[in-house]
């Protein structure tokens, strides 16, 4: 089973990734963790450019292609082999992030993103995509302790409002894959909701291998 967790910056992804990983592992699942972009040597180098290359001018289409290149490497090296081995893959962001950040918010045509995405992902998509939703003003307060924002975080409020709207719009368009979870509650409340979604969505083979 392939699970992704996504949402705007400050939504609590990292915390919920850790809690879901622990819950799956406690149920007997062999879990492979990955982050997009990242999880391979090449993808980590690309991640550094995308998030910390603040002096670089990267046009939206080039930005999209860099994310896709990192994703292609991660799918080939990590995601597909793990799924083929019967593991659960838990990924911090995946294709939806590019659809939203570079598409809905950045202006790259969605059809172009989806076409490139088919190549980069080899057709591999999450069985369940959790979208953590939180008002932007709450997200900003949560990120106050982080210090200097990275390149994506620093794109401005209008951009991040488009990000939030993009997540909601696209999740509504693919309800069979994406589930929006209200991330304004307590950490445990959000975690419990995510566990309930996974328990409802998991296929029979996962029930047999995760006991």
């Amino acid at each position: 089973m392939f699970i992704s967790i996504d949402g705007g910056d400050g939504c609590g992804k990292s915390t919920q990734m850790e809690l879901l990983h622990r819950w799956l592992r406690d149920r007997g699942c062999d879990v492979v963790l990955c982050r997009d972009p990242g999880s391979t040597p090449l993808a980590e180098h690309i991640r550094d450019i995308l998030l910390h290359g603040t002096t670089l001018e990267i046009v939206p289409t080039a930005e999209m292609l860099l994310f896709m290149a990192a994703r292609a490497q991660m799918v080939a090296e990590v995601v597909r082999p793990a799924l083929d081995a019967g593991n659960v893959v838990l990924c911090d962001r995946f294709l939806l992030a590019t659809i939203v950040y570079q598409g809905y918010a950045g202006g790259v045509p969605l059809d172009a993103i989806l076409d490139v995405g088919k190549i980069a992902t080899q057709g591999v998509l999450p069985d369940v995509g959790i979208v953590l939703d939180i008002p932007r003003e709450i997200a900003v307060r949560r990120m106050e302790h982080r210090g200097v924002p990275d390149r994506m975080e620093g794109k401005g409020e209008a951009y991040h409002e488009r990000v939030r709207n993009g997540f909601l719009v696209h999740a509504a368009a693919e309800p069979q894959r994406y589930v929006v979870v209200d991330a304004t509650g307590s950490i445990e409340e959000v975690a419990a909701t995510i566990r309930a979604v996974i328990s409802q969505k998991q296929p029979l083979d996962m029930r047999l291998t995760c006991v």
Side-chain angles (χ1 to χ4, degrees), residues 19-98:
L19 293 175
L20 183 56
H21 177 215
R22 187 183 308 163
W23 180 74
L24 289 166
R25 187 186 57 205
D26 289 347
R27 295 185 70 223
C29 298
D30 292 323
V31 183
V32 173
L33 286 175
C34 50
R35 64 178 184 174
D36 185 6
S39 300
T40 73
L42 173 63
E44 289 292 339
H45 280 295
I46 295 174
R47 180 186 183 90
D48 189 57
I49 293 171
L50 286 165
L51 299 188
H52 306 296
T54 53
T55 62
L56 297 174
E57 179 64 32
I58 306 177
V59 299
T61 302
E63 187 176 81
M64 179 270 288
L65 291 169
L66 284 169
F67 275 107
M68 290 294 191
R71 185 170 297 124
Q73 195 74 20
M74 183 186 73
V75 169
E77 284 192 35
V78 180
V79 176
R80 183 175 284 281
L83 293 174
D84 288 346
N87 298 317
V88 175
V89 173
L90 178 56
C91 194
D92 184 338
R93 298 201 186 283
F94 199 63
L95 180 61
L96 178 61
T98 299

Coordinates of all heavy atoms in Angstrom, one line a residue, residues 19-98:
L19 N 3.8 9.9 13.6 CA 2.8 9.1 14.3 C 2.2 8.0 13.5 O 1.9 6.9 14.0 CB 1.7 10.1 14.8 CG 2.1 11.1 15.8 CD1 1.0 12.1 16.1 CD2 2.6 10.4 17.1
L20 N 1.9 8.3 12.2 CA 1.3 7.2 11.3 C 2.4 6.1 11.1 O 2.0 4.9 11.1 CB 0.9 7.8 10.0 CG 0.2 6.8 9.0 CD1 -1.0 6.2 9.7 CD2 -0.2 7.5 7.7
H21 N 3.6 6.5 10.9 CA 4.7 5.4 10.8 C 4.7 4.5 12.0 O 4.7 3.3 11.9 CB 6.0 6.1 10.6 CG 7.2 5.2 10.6 ND1 8.4 5.5 11.1 CD2 7.3 3.9 10.0 CE1 9.2 4.4 10.9 NE2 8.5 3.5 10.2
R22 N 4.6 5.1 13.2 CA 4.7 4.3 14.4 C 3.4 3.4 14.5 O 3.5 2.2 14.9 CB 4.7 5.3 15.6 CG 4.9 4.6 17.0 CD 4.8 5.7 18.1 NE 5.8 6.8 17.8 CZ 5.7 7.9 18.4 NH1 4.7 8.2 19.3 NH2 6.5 8.9 18.2
W23 N 2.3 3.9 14.2 CA 1.0 3.1 14.2 C 1.1 2.0 13.3 O 0.7 0.8 13.6 CB -0.2 4.1 13.9 CG -1.5 3.4 13.9 CD1 -2.2 3.0 15.0 CD2 -2.3 3.0 12.8 NE1 -3.4 2.4 14.7 CE2 -3.5 2.4 13.3 CE3 -2.1 3.2 11.4 CZ2 -4.5 2.0 12.4 CZ3 -3.2 2.8 10.6 CH2 -4.3 2.2 11.1
L24 N 1.5 2.2 12.0 CA 1.6 1.1 11.1 C 2.6 0.1 11.5 O 2.4 -1.1 11.4 CB 2.0 1.7 9.7 CG 1.0 2.5 9.0 CD1 1.6 3.3 7.8 CD2 -0.2 1.7 8.5
R25 N 3.8 0.6 12.0 CA 4.8 -0.4 12.5 C 4.3 -1.2 13.6 O 4.5 -2.4 13.7 CB 6.0 0.4 12.9 CG 7.3 -0.4 13.2 CD 8.4 0.4 13.7 NE 7.9 1.2 14.9 CZ 8.4 2.4 15.3 NH1 9.4 2.9 14.6 NH2 7.9 3.0 16.4
D26 N 3.5 -0.6 14.6 CA 3.0 -1.3 15.7 C 2.0 -2.4 15.3 O 1.7 -3.4 16.0 CB 2.3 -0.4 16.7 CG 3.4 0.5 17.4 OD1 4.6 0.1 17.4 OD2 3.0 1.5 18.1
R27 N 1.4 -2.2 14.1 CA 0.4 -3.2 13.6 C 1.1 -4.3 12.8 O 0.5 -5.2 12.3 CB -0.6 -2.5 12.6 CG -1.5 -1.5 13.3 CD -2.5 -0.9 12.3 NE -3.5 -2.0 12.0 CZ -3.9 -2.2 10.8 NH1 -3.4 -1.5 9.8 NH2 -4.8 -3.1 10.5
G28 N 2.4 -4.3 12.7 CA 3.2 -5.3 12.1 C 3.5 -5.0 10.6 O 4.0 -5.9 9.9
C29 N 3.3 -3.8 10.2 CA 3.6 -3.5 8.8 C 5.1 -3.2 8.6 O 5.7 -2.5 9.4 CB 2.8 -2.2 8.3 SG 1.0 -2.4 8.4
D30 N 5.7 -3.6 7.5 CA 7.0 -3.2 7.1 C 6.8 -1.9 6.3 O 6.3 -1.9 5.2 CB 7.6 -4.3 6.2 CG 8.0 -5.5 7.0 OD1 8.3 -5.4 8.2 OD2 7.8 -6.6 6.4
V31 N 7.3 -0.8 6.9 CA 7.1 0.5 6.3 C 8.3 1.1 5.8 O 9.4 1.1 6.5 CB 6.5 1.5 7.4 CG1 6.1 2.8 6.8 CG2 5.2 0.8 8.0
V32 N 8.3 1.6 4.6 CA 9.4 2.4 4.0 C 9.0 3.8 3.9 O 8.0 4.2 3.3 CB 9.7 1.9 2.5 CG1 10.7 2.8 1.9 CG2 10.1 0.4 2.6
L33 N 9.8 4.7 4.6 CA 9.5 6.1 4.7 C 10.3 6.8 3.5 O 11.4 6.5 3.2 CB 10.0 6.7 6.0 CG 9.2 6.4 7.2 CD1 9.9 6.9 8.5 CD2 7.8 7.0 7.1
C34 N 9.6 7.8 2.9 CA 10.3 8.6 1.9 C 9.8 10.0 1.9 O 8.7 10.2 2.5 CB 10.3 8.0 0.5 SG 8.6 7.5 0.0
R35 N 10.6 10.9 1.3 CA 10.1 12.3 1.2 C 10.3 12.7 -0.2 O 11.3 12.4 -0.9 CB 10.8 13.2 2.2 CG 12.3 13.4 2.0 CD 12.9 14.3 3.0 NE 14.3 14.6 2.8 CZ 15.0 15.5 3.5 NH1 14.4 16.2 4.4 NH2 16.3 15.7 3.3
D36 N 9.4 13.6 -0.7 CA 9.4 14.0 -2.1 C 9.4 15.5 -2.1 O 8.4 16.2 -1.7 CB 8.2 13.4 -2.8 CG 8.1 13.7 -4.3 OD1 9.1 14.3 -4.8 OD2 7.1 13.4 -4.9
P37 N 10.5 16.1 -2.6 CA 11.7 15.5 -3.2 C 12.7 15.0 -2.1 O 12.7 15.5 -1.0 CB 12.3 16.7 -4.0 CG 11.9 17.9 -3.2 CD 10.6 17.6 -2.6
G38 N 13.4 14.0 -2.5 CA 14.4 13.4 -1.6 C 14.4 11.9 -1.7 O 13.9 11.3 -2.6
S39 N 15.1 11.3 -0.7 CA 15.1 9.8 -0.5 C 16.1 9.1 -1.4 O 16.3 7.9 -1.3 CB 13.7 9.2 -0.6 OG 12.9 9.7 0.3
T40 N 16.8 9.8 -2.3 CA 17.9 9.2 -3.1 C 19.0 10.3 -3.1 O 18.7 11.4 -3.0 CB 17.5 8.8 -4.5 OG1 17.3 10.0 -5.3 CG2 16.2 7.9 -4.5
P41 N 20.2 9.9 -3.4 CA 21.3 10.9 -3.5 C 21.0 12.0 -4.5 O 21.1 13.2 -4.2 CB 22.5 10.1 -3.9 CG 22.3 8.7 -3.3 CD 20.8 8.5 -3.5
L42 N 20.5 11.6 -5.7 CA 20.2 12.6 -6.7 C 19.1 13.5 -6.3 O 19.1 14.7 -6.4 CB 19.8 11.9 -8.0 CG 19.3 12.9 -9.1 CD1 20.4 13.9 -9.5 CD2 18.8 12.1 -10.4
A43 N 18.0 12.9 -5.8 CA 16.8 13.7 -5.3 C 17.1 14.6 -4.2 O 16.6 15.7 -4.1 CB 15.7 12.7 -5.0
E44 N 18.0 14.2 -3.3 CA 18.4 15.1 -2.2 C 19.2 16.3 -2.7 O 19.0 17.4 -2.2 CB 19.2 14.3 -1.1 CG 18.4 13.3 -0.3 CD 17.4 13.9 0.6 OE1 17.5 15.1 0.9 OE2 16.4 13.2 1.0
H45 N 20.0 16.1 -3.7 CA 20.7 17.3 -4.3 C 19.7 18.2 -4.9 O 19.8 19.4 -4.8 CB 21.7 16.8 -5.3 CG 23.0 16.3 -4.7 ND1 23.9 17.1 -4.1 CD2 23.6 15.1 -4.8 CE1 24.9 16.4 -3.7 NE2 24.8 15.2 -4.1
I46 N 18.7 17.7 -5.6 CA 17.7 18.5 -6.3 C 16.9 19.2 -5.2 O 16.5 20.4 -5.3 CB 16.8 17.6 -7.2 CG1 17.6 17.1 -8.4 CG2 15.6 18.5 -7.7 CD1 16.8 16.1 -9.2
R47 N 16.6 18.5 -4.1 CA 15.8 19.1 -3.0 C 16.6 20.4 -2.5 O 15.9 21.4 -2.2 CB 15.6 18.1 -1.9 CG 14.9 18.6 -0.7 CD 14.8 17.6 0.5 NE 14.1 18.1 1.6 CZ 12.8 17.9 1.7 NH1 12.1 17.3 0.8 NH2 12.1 18.4 2.8
D48 N 17.9 20.2 -2.3 CA 18.7 21.3 -1.8 C 18.6 22.6 -2.7 O 18.4 23.7 -2.3 CB 20.1 20.9 -1.7 CG 20.9 22.0 -0.9 OD1 20.6 22.3 0.2 OD2 21.9 22.4 -1.5
I49 N 18.6 22.3 -4.0 CA 18.4 23.4 -5.0 C 17.0 24.0 -4.9 O 16.9 25.3 -4.8 CB 18.6 22.9 -6.4 CG1 20.1 22.5 -6.7 CG2 18.2 24.0 -7.5 CD1 20.3 21.7 -8.0
L50 N 16.0 23.2 -4.8 CA 14.6 23.7 -4.8 C 14.3 24.5 -3.6 O 13.6 25.5 -3.6 CB 13.6 22.6 -5.0 CG 13.6 22.0 -6.5 CD1 12.9 20.7 -6.5 CD2 12.9 23.0 -7.4
L51 N 14.7 24.0 -2.4 CA 14.3 24.6 -1.1 C 15.3 25.6 -0.6 O 14.9 26.5 0.1 CB 14.1 23.5 -0.1 CG 13.1 22.4 -0.4 CD1 12.9 21.5 0.8 CD2 11.8 23.1 -0.8
H52 N 16.6 25.5 -1.0 CA 17.6 26.4 -0.4 C 18.4 27.2 -1.4 O 19.2 28.0 -1.0 CB 18.6 25.6 0.5 CG 17.9 24.7 1.5 ND1 17.1 25.3 2.5 CD2 17.7 23.4 1.6 CE1 16.6 24.3 3.2 NE2 16.9 23.2 2.7
G53 N 18.0 27.1 -2.7 CA 18.7 27.9 -3.7 C 18.1 29.2 -3.8 O 17.5 29.6 -4.9
T54 N 18.1 30.0 -2.8 CA 17.4 31.3 -2.7 C 18.0 32.3 -3.6 O 17.3 33.3 -4.0 CB 17.4 31.8 -1.3 OG1 18.7 31.9 -0.8 CG2 16.5 30.9 -0.4
T55 N 19.2 32.2 -4.1 CA 19.8 33.1 -5.0 C 19.6 32.8 -6.5 O 19.9 33.5 -7.4 CB 21.3 33.2 -4.8 OG1 21.9 32.0 -5.0 CG2 21.6 33.7 -3.3
L56 N 18.9 31.6 -6.7 CA 18.7 31.2 -8.1 C 17.3 31.7 -8.6 O 16.3 31.7 -7.8 CB 18.7 29.6 -8.1 CG 20.0 28.9 -7.8 CD1 19.8 27.4 -7.8 CD2 21.1 29.3 -8.8
E57 N 17.3 32.0 -9.8 CA 16.0 32.3 -10.5 C 15.5 31.0 -11.2 O 16.2 30.6 -12.1 CB 16.2 33.4 -11.5 CG 14.9 33.8 -12.2 CD 13.8 34.4 -11.3 OE1 14.1 35.0 -10.3 OE2 12.6 34.1 -11.6
I58 N 14.5 30.4 -10.7 CA 13.9 29.2 -11.3 C 12.5 29.5 -11.8 O 11.6 29.8 -11.0 CB 13.9 28.0 -10.2 CG1 15.3 27.9 -9.6 CG2 13.5 26.7 -10.9 CD1 15.3 26.8 -8.5
V59 N 12.3 29.4 -13.1 CA 11.0 29.7 -13.6 C 10.1 28.5 -13.3 O 10.5 27.4 -13.0 CB 11.1 29.9 -15.1 CG1 11.9 31.1 -15.5 CG2 11.6 28.7 -15.9
P60 N 8.8 28.8 -13.2 CA 7.8 27.7 -12.8 C 8.0 26.4 -13.5 O 7.9 25.3 -12.9 CB 6.5 28.4 -13.0 CG 6.7 29.8 -12.8 CD 8.1 30.1 -13.4
T61 N 8.2 26.4 -14.9 CA 8.3 25.2 -15.6 C 9.5 24.4 -15.2 O 9.5 23.2 -15.1 CB 8.3 25.5 -17.1 OG1 7.1 26.2 -17.5 CG2 8.3 24.2 -17.9
A62 N 10.6 25.1 -15.1 CA 11.9 24.5 -14.6 C 11.7 23.9 -13.2 O 12.2 22.8 -12.9 CB 13.0 25.5 -14.7
E63 N 11.0 24.7 -12.4 CA 10.8 24.2 -11.0 C 10.0 22.9 -11.1 O 10.3 21.9 -10.4 CB 10.0 25.3 -10.3 CG 9.8 25.0 -8.8 CD 9.1 26.2 -8.1 OE1 7.9 26.3 -8.2 OE2 9.8 27.0 -7.5
M64 N 9.0 22.9 -11.9 CA 8.1 21.6 -12.0 C 9.0 20.5 -12.5 O 8.9 19.3 -12.0 CB 7.0 21.9 -13.0 CG 6.1 20.7 -13.2 SD 6.6 19.6 -14.6 CE 6.2 20.7 -16.0
L65 N 9.8 20.7 -13.5 CA 10.7 19.6 -14.0 C 11.7 19.1 -13.0 O 12.0 17.9 -13.0 CB 11.3 20.1 -15.3 CG 10.4 20.3 -16.5 CD1 11.1 21.0 -17.7 CD2 9.8 19.0 -17.0
L66 N 12.2 20.0 -12.2 CA 13.2 19.6 -11.2 C 12.5 18.7 -10.2 O 13.0 17.6 -9.8 CB 13.8 20.8 -10.5 CG 14.9 21.5 -11.3 CD1 15.2 22.9 -10.6 CD2 16.1 20.7 -11.4
F67 N 11.3 19.1 -9.7 CA 10.5 18.2 -8.8 C 10.2 16.8 -9.4 O 10.3 15.8 -8.8 CB 9.2 18.9 -8.4 CG 9.3 19.8 -7.3 CD1 9.2 21.2 -7.4 CD2 9.5 19.3 -6.0 CE1 9.3 22.1 -6.4 CE2 9.6 20.2 -4.9 CZ 9.5 21.6 -5.1
M68 N 9.9 16.8 -10.7 CA 9.6 15.6 -11.4 C 10.8 14.7 -11.5 O 10.7 13.5 -11.4 CB 9.0 15.9 -12.8 CG 7.6 16.5 -12.8 SD 6.4 15.3 -12.1 CE 4.9 16.2 -12.6
A69 N 12.0 15.3 -11.8 CA 13.2 14.5 -11.9 C 13.5 13.8 -10.6 O 13.9 12.7 -10.6 CB 14.4 15.5 -12.3
A70 N 13.4 14.6 -9.5 CA 13.6 14.0 -8.2 C 12.6 12.9 -7.9 O 13.0 11.8 -7.4 CB 13.5 15.1 -7.1
R71 N 11.4 13.1 -8.3 CA 10.4 12.1 -8.1 C 10.6 10.8 -8.9 O 10.4 9.7 -8.4 CB 9.0 12.7 -8.4 CG 7.8 11.8 -8.1 CD 6.5 12.6 -8.3 NE 6.5 13.7 -7.3 CZ 6.3 15.0 -7.6 NH1 6.2 15.4 -8.9 NH2 6.3 15.9 -6.7
A72 N 11.0 11.0 -10.1 CA 11.3 9.9 -11.0 C 12.4 9.0 -10.4 O 12.3 7.7 -10.4 CB 11.7 10.3 -12.4
Q73 N 13.5 9.6 -9.9 CA 14.5 8.8 -9.2 C 14.0 8.1 -8.0 O 14.4 7.0 -7.7 CB 15.7 9.8 -8.9 CG 17.0 9.1 -8.6 CD 17.7 8.5 -9.8 OE1 17.4 8.9 -11.0 NE2 18.5 7.5 -9.6
M74 N 13.2 8.8 -7.2 CA 12.7 8.2 -6.0 C 11.8 7.0 -6.3 O 11.9 6.0 -5.6 CB 12.0 9.2 -5.1 CG 11.5 8.7 -3.8 SD 10.4 9.9 -2.9 CE 8.9 9.8 -3.9
V75 N 10.9 7.1 -7.3 CA 10.1 6.0 -7.6 C 10.9 4.8 -8.1 O 10.6 3.7 -7.7 CB 9.0 6.5 -8.7 CG1 8.3 5.3 -9.3 CG2 8.0 7.5 -8.2
A76 N 11.9 5.1 -8.9 CA 12.7 4.0 -9.5 C 13.5 3.3 -8.4 O 13.6 2.1 -8.4 CB 13.6 4.5 -10.6
E77 N 14.1 4.1 -7.5 CA 15.0 3.5 -6.5 C 14.3 3.0 -5.3 O 14.8 2.1 -4.6 CB 16.1 4.6 -6.1 CG 17.2 4.8 -7.2 CD 18.3 5.6 -6.6 OE1 18.7 5.4 -5.4 OE2 18.9 6.4 -7.4
V78 N 13.3 3.7 -4.9 CA 12.7 3.5 -3.5 C 11.2 3.0 -3.6 O 10.9 1.9 -3.1 CB 12.8 4.7 -2.7 CG1 12.2 4.5 -1.3 CG2 14.2 5.3 -2.5
V79 N 10.4 3.7 -4.2 CA 8.9 3.4 -4.1 C 8.5 2.2 -4.8 O 7.9 1.3 -4.2 CB 8.1 4.6 -4.6 CG1 6.6 4.3 -4.6 CG2 8.4 5.9 -3.8
R80 N 8.8 2.0 -6.1 CA 8.4 0.8 -6.8 C 9.0 -0.4 -6.2 O 8.3 -1.4 -6.0 CB 8.7 0.9 -8.3 CG 8.2 -0.3 -9.1 CD 8.4 -0.1 -10.6 NE 7.5 0.8 -11.2 CZ 6.2 0.5 -11.5 NH1 5.8 -0.8 -11.2 NH2 5.4 1.3 -12.0
P81 N 10.4 -0.5 -5.9 CA 10.9 -1.7 -5.3 C 10.3 -2.0 -4.0 O 10.0 -3.2 -3.7 CB 12.4 -1.3 -5.1 CG 12.7 -0.3 -6.2 CD 11.4 0.5 -6.2
A82 N 9.9 -1.0 -3.2 CA 9.3 -1.3 -1.9 C 7.9 -1.9 -2.0 O 7.5 -2.8 -1.4 CB 9.2 0.0 -1.0
L83 N 7.1 -1.3 -3.0 CA 5.8 -1.8 -3.2 C 5.9 -3.2 -3.8 O 5.1 -4.1 -3.4 CB 5.0 -0.9 -4.2 CG 4.7 0.5 -3.6 CD1 4.1 1.4 -4.7 CD2 3.8 0.4 -2.4
D84 N 6.8 -3.5 -4.7 CA 7.0 -4.8 -5.3 C 7.3 -5.8 -4.2 O 7.0 -7.0 -4.3 CB 8.0 -4.8 -6.4 CG 7.6 -4.1 -7.6 OD1 6.3 -3.8 -7.8 OD2 8.4 -3.8 -8.5
A85 N 8.0 -5.4 -3.2 CA 8.4 -6.3 -2.1 C 7.3 -6.5 -1.0 O 7.4 -7.2 -0.1 CB 9.6 -5.7 -1.4
G86 N 6.1 -5.8 -1.2 CA 5.0 -6.0 -0.3 C 5.1 -5.0 0.9 O 4.3 -5.3 1.8
N87 N 5.9 -4.0 0.8 CA 6.0 -3.1 1.9 C 4.9 -2.0 1.8 O 4.4 -1.8 0.7 CB 7.4 -2.4 2.0 CG 8.5 -3.4 2.2 OD1 8.4 -4.3 3.0 ND2 9.6 -3.2 1.5
V88 N 4.6 -1.4 2.9 CA 3.8 -0.1 2.9 C 4.8 1.0 2.7 O 5.8 1.1 3.4 CB 3.1 0.0 4.3 CG1 2.3 1.4 4.3 CG2 2.1 -1.1 4.5
V89 N 4.5 1.9 1.8 CA 5.3 3.1 1.5 C 4.5 4.3 2.1 O 3.3 4.5 1.7 CB 5.5 3.3 0.0 CG1 6.2 4.6 -0.2 CG2 6.4 2.1 -0.5
L90 N 5.2 5.0 2.9 CA 4.6 6.3 3.5 C 5.5 7.4 3.1 O 6.7 7.5 3.4 CB 4.6 6.1 5.0 CG 4.1 7.3 5.8 CD1 2.7 7.7 5.4 CD2 4.1 7.0 7.3
C91 N 4.9 8.3 2.3 CA 5.7 9.4 1.6 C 5.2 10.8 2.0 O 4.0 11.0 2.0 CB 5.5 9.2 0.1 SG 6.7 10.2 -0.8
D92 N 6.2 11.6 2.4 CA 5.9 13.0 2.7 C 5.9 13.7 1.3 O 6.9 14.0 0.8 CB 7.1 13.5 3.6 CG 6.9 15.0 4.0 OD1 6.1 15.7 3.3 OD2 7.5 15.3 5.0
R93 N 4.7 14.0 0.9 CA 4.4 14.6 -0.4 C 4.6 13.7 -1.6 O 5.3 12.7 -1.5 CB 5.2 15.9 -0.7 CG 4.9 17.0 0.3 CD 5.3 18.4 -0.2 NE 5.2 19.5 0.7 CZ 4.1 20.1 1.1 NH1 3.0 19.7 0.6 NH2 4.2 21.1 1.9
F94 N 3.8 13.9 -2.7 CA 4.0 13.2 -3.9 C 3.5 14.1 -5.1 O 3.6 15.3 -5.0 CB 3.4 11.8 -3.8 CG 3.9 10.8 -4.9 CD1 5.2 10.4 -4.8 CD2 3.1 10.3 -5.9 CE1 5.7 9.6 -5.8 CE2 3.6 9.5 -6.8 CZ 4.9 9.1 -6.8
L95 N 3.0 13.5 -6.1 CA 2.7 14.2 -7.3 C 1.7 15.3 -7.1 O 1.7 16.4 -7.7 CB 2.1 13.2 -8.4 CG 1.6 13.8 -9.7 CD1 2.8 14.5 -10.4 CD2 1.0 12.8 -10.6
L96 N 0.7 15.1 -6.1 CA -0.3 16.1 -5.9 C 0.4 17.5 -5.5 O -0.1 18.5 -5.8 CB -1.2 15.7 -4.7 CG -2.2 16.7 -4.3 CD1 -3.2 17.1 -5.4 CD2 -3.0 16.2 -3.1
A97 N 1.5 17.4 -4.8 CA 2.2 18.6 -4.4 C 2.6 19.5 -5.6 O 2.5 20.7 -5.6 CB 3.4 18.3 -3.6
T98 N 3.1 18.8 -6.7 CA 3.5 19.6 -7.9 C 2.3 20.1 -8.6 O 2.3 21.2 -9.1 CB 4.3 18.6 -8.8 OG1 5.5 18.2 -8.1 CG2 4.7 19.4 -10.1

